[in-house]
Amino acid sequence: MKKTSLNRKLLISFISIILISLLITGITSTYMIDKKFNLYLLKEHEEKIDNIKTIIDSTIRKDPITPDFEGSGLTSYAISEGYVIEIFDLNNNLLYTTGMYPLMGHQSNGHMMGPMMGKMFKNMSEGYNEDTYPLDYKDEEIGRITIGYLGASNISREAMSFKLTLYQSIFISSLIAVMVSVFISIVISRQLGIPIRKITLASRKIKEGDLSTRTDIKTNIDEISELSSSINNLANTLQQQEALRNRLTSDMAHEIRTPLTTIKSHIEAFIDGIWEPTPEKLEDCYDEVARLHSLVENLDNINKLEKMNYILSKSIFRIDEELKRIVNSLIPQFSKKNLKLSLNSKAALEVFMDRDKFKQIMYNLLSNAFKYSLENGIVNVKSYIESNKLYIIVEDFGIGISPKDLPHIFEHLYRGDSSRARTTGGSGIGLTITKTLIEAHDGNIRAESEINKGTTFTIRFPLENITSKKASL
Ligand code: ADP
């Protein structure tokens, strides 16, 4: 299919619509005017014929023997209305004639034309018509009247010019309408065409990889401004994803390089006979392979994380009871490191949340507290309600997070240097999942930490988002 620009297409469509509608209005109005006008003219013609008959009638009644048609005003009426009148007696003798003068206007003296010339003129005059009426006196036919005129019915010059003026005004107004609508259609097609061209240009640039391109369109057309912001949002998302991809790739490379180097140097040492492959050395290698394995597993988790978008399956449960269950289930693990896990649960509240996801949030935070706490330490879990919000706090007194790492701990695969140095077995994905799950419940999480002093995670859920009408206590 041949492609054409939007501007052109709109312009052609507008003009065609205008021309078609003008044509239809032109035809219908001309037809209606013509019909009404002809009716009006016919009526007018009949009235004039009646007037002529009345003048003749009263002239005969005045003097039936020698009627004075000349002096009756018949001639002047015939001339003014453009009728040729002839009166004959029963023997076909011409009693009176206006001559051809009424047909010729005032330009030549038709009155002077002889009967021969008159006949010729009648034959030559295109559209000349003649009607014959009986001439009666006292209910007796005494002759006949012929009334001749030009046209189907006698159209007076004024009527003709009126009709012409009407057609002219229709034509002129159509012309003005066409010009105005061409102007308006140009304006509208520019209003639509220019922003769409800008958006197309921007999306082409984005497609070519220039993700910083944005469309800057000022328009009051809803759909175009929506299209423009969709393109901008798309560019934003692509830019974010590209940044994330870059981060992920470099993080992964960084994460994979360390265990690979360890394994490589160990195996080289075995080959060169520098080291004996003792069970301890082999176990070191195994640990590194296990780390690589868990990294690959986590890659899969990240994919799932992106895709899942956390469809929540909410149910009603008591938050204090759930917290108690979680803490109790972890006490045996914590005691292995001689860690005290205490719970101070003040929020006695029935919530409408995804129970499994809530468990996952708490397990992630508590397993970090466990990992990054020193032996014989304390981990506190608190919950309370304040300003219509549910607060849940997980507090430890472990290694802490450096100010450099703190802003990044919720990012994909981010691991603080200190935790890298300690083989905690972490992979840097737990907090990302935790944050996403909290946000899926319309809450938020914040971390405060001081190196070697400890870390506090504060979760905040607005009550209206985690309690349904059925679920508030
Ligand atoms: P990881 O599996 O490495 O623990 P997370 O996403 O759970 O991954 O945490 C990201 C990083 O945040 C960790 O590597 C660690 O440096 C830091 N971190 C998280 N929780 C704590 C905590 N309670 N104490 C100290 N550092 C923490």
Side-chain angles (χ1 to χ4, degrees):
M1 203 161 70
K2 197 171 169 287
K3 300 237 169 90
T4 175
S5 78
L6 181 72
N7 268 3
R8 226 177 119 99
K9 182 113 192 155
L10 281 173
L11 201 65
I12 292 172
S13 318
F14 276 134
I15 294 176
S16 328
I17 292 168
I18 291 154
L19 287 180
I20 290 169
S21 42
L22 276 179
L23 199 73
I24 293 168
T25 3
I27 290 172
T28 45
S29 55
T30 314
Y31 172 74
M32 294 308 283
I33 289 169
D34 239 31
K35 206 172 142 190
K36 286 270 176 219
F37 205 71
N38 285 346
L39 258 170
Y40 160 74
L41 290 176
L42 204 68
K43 237 180 107 203
E44 203 191 26
H45 172 67
E46 278 165 3
E47 269 170 22
K48 285 174 189 167
I49 300 286
D50 281 349
N51 286 345
I52 291 169
K53 281 185 187 165
T54 317
I55 297 172
I56 294 172
D57 204 42
S58 67
T59 313
I60 290 175
R61 233 179 284 151
K62 239 187 244 168
D63 185 356
I65 315 293
T66 51
D68 180 14
F69 293 116
E70 299 286 347
S72 63
L74 190 61
T75 312
S76 57
Y77 185 74
I79 290 169
S80 73
E81 299 300 340
Y83 287 100
V84 172
I85 305 169
E86 286 170 332
I87 304 173
F88 297 92
D89 65 9
L90 283 177
N91 298 322
N92 227 10
N93 296 318
L94 184 66
L95 301 179
Y96 164 82
T97 178
T98 53
M100 289 300 114
Y101 187 71
L103 296 186
M104 305 171 71
H106 298 276
Q107 276 141 26
S108 81
N109 196 348
H111 200 52
M112 295 300 170
M113 270 195 257
M116 272 304 284
M117 282 278 281
K119 255 206 169 53
M120 268 175 65
F121 183 82
K122 283 182 193 175
N123 291 340
M124 280 162 64
S125 300
E126 213 180 301
Y128 182 78
N129 288 302
E130 206 170 65
D131 296 329
T132 304
Y133 304 93
L135 178 66
D136 295 332
Y137 177 63
K138 291 193 173 163
D139 291 334
E140 218 176 282
E141 195 172 323
I142 58 165
R144 67 188 161 88
I145 311 163
T146 63
I147 301 174
Y149 50 87
L150 284 176
S153 62
N154 185 14
I155 301 173
S156 65
R157 273 182 292 278
E158 290 77 21
M160 198 58 194
S161 81
F162 175 69
K163 213 167 150 179
L164 214 73
T165 319
L166 216 65
Y167 288 142
Q168 266 173 357
S169 56
I170 290 179
F171 179 72
I172 290 170
S173 48
S174 310
L175 209 70
I176 294 171
V178 168
M179 285 185 328
V180 170
S181 18
V182 165
F183 174 74
I184 292 173
S185 58
I186 288 174
V187 171
I188 292 179
S189 55
R190 277 174 70 87
Q191 265 185 2
L192 286 175
I194 291 174
I196 287 182
R197 206 164 321 128
K198 274 190 187 171
I199 293 171
T200 315
L201 214 74
S203 54
R204 195 174 306 149
K205 274 189 176 172
I206 293 168
K207 188 189 108 191
E208 283 161 5
D210 182 0
L211 297 181
S212 60
T213 310
R214 297 289 179 276
T215 59
D216 174 29
I217 289 166
K218 283 171 192 64
T219 174
N220 53 2
I221 303 168
D222 247 12
E223 286 79 358
I224 292 190
S225 96
E226 219 167 277
L227 181 65
S228 155
S229 57
S230 302
I231 290 286
N232 287 345
N233 288 343
L234 182 73
N236 274 342
T237 315
L238 286 175
Q239 213 170 15
Q240 277 166 11
Q241 283 190 347
E242 196 185 51
L244 187 72
R245 204 173 43 242
N246 289 344
R247 253 202 72 95
L248 271 178
T249 330
S250 68
D251 281 358
M252 280 312 285
H254 187 263
E255 289 296 319
I256 290 172
R257 199 176 297 119
T258 325
L260 274 184
T261 316
T262 316
I263 297 166
K264 192 172 161 238
S265 57
H266 274 50
I267 293 176
E268 270 170 2
F270 296 149
I271 292 170
D272 295 343
I274 301 167
W275 274 352
E276 282 290 307
T278 58
E280 296 85 60
K281 295 266 183 269
L282 283 174
E283 211 163 301
D284 279 353
C285 283
Y286 177 82
D287 283 347
E288 295 304 321
V289 171
R291 220 170 120 189
L292 277 178
H293 185 251
S294 88
L295 260 169
V296 173
E297 295 271 284
N298 277 318
L299 254 193
D300 208 32
N301 281 344
I302 291 169
N303 268 339
K304 276 189 205 140
L305 187 73
E306 299 291 346
K307 279 189 210 129
M308 251 163 69
N309 219 350
Y310 294 105
I311 302 148
L312 300 177
S313 132
K314 292 187 184 181
S315 61
I316 300 170
F317 61 91
R318 292 217 17 169
I319 202 82
D320 47 339
E321 285 171 7
E322 190 59 32
L323 277 174
K324 204 168 162 187
R325 251 194 298 273
I326 294 168
V327 166
N328 283 341
S329 73
L330 287 172
I331 286 175
Q333 186 196 334
F334 274 60
S335 59
K336 276 190 206 155
K337 214 171 161 180
N338 215 6
L339 276 173
K340 188 170 177 281
L341 180 57
S342 85
L343 171 67
N344 182 357
S345 171
K346 285 194 189 130
L349 180 75
E350 202 165 64
V351 291
F352 184 58
M353 295 172 78
D354 187 317
R355 198 184 189 131
D356 285 338
K357 303 277 187 314
F358 178 72
K359 232 188 255 177
Q360 200 179 339
I361 294 169
M362 292 312 295
Y363 278 141
N364 284 354
L365 291 179
L366 286 171
S367 80
N368 276 351
F370 174 79
K371 270 190 288 187
Y372 303 114
S373 281
L374 307 170
E375 289 205 9
N376 310 316
I378 300 179
V379 173
N380 291 323
V381 178
K382 297 177 200 164
S383 83
Y384 58 91
I385 295 168
E386 201 181 278
S387 328
N388 255 342
K389 287 182 188 83
L390 166 68
Y391 284 83
I392 297 172
I393 311 242
V394 177
E395 177 186 37
D396 69 59
F397 302 91
I399 62 165
I401 306 166
S402 73
K404 176 174 82 63
D405 289 333
L406 196 58
H408 304 290
I409 53 168
F410 294 106
E411 291 172 16
H412 280 144
L413 292 178
Y414 193 88
R415 301 189 62 216
D417 280 340
S418 45
S419 53
R420 261 197 209 111
R422 284 154 203 260
T423 39
T424 50
S427 60
I429 195 173
L431 284 181
T432 314
I433 294 173
T434 307
K435 186 170 184 259
T436 315
L437 290 176
I438 292 169
E439 283 172 356
H441 282 91
D442 299 310
N444 58 47
I445 180 166
R446 172 165 58 87
E448 287 154 293
S449 188
E450 217 176 306
I451 204 100
N452 291 330
K453 288 253 169 75
T455 307
T456 307
F457 285 96
T458 308
I459 309 171
R460 216 161 38 160
F461 291 112
L463 284 187
E464 76 240 38
N465 296 333
I466 51 158
T467 52
S468 76
K469 279 186 195 91
K470 289 184 289 174
S472 51
L473 208 72

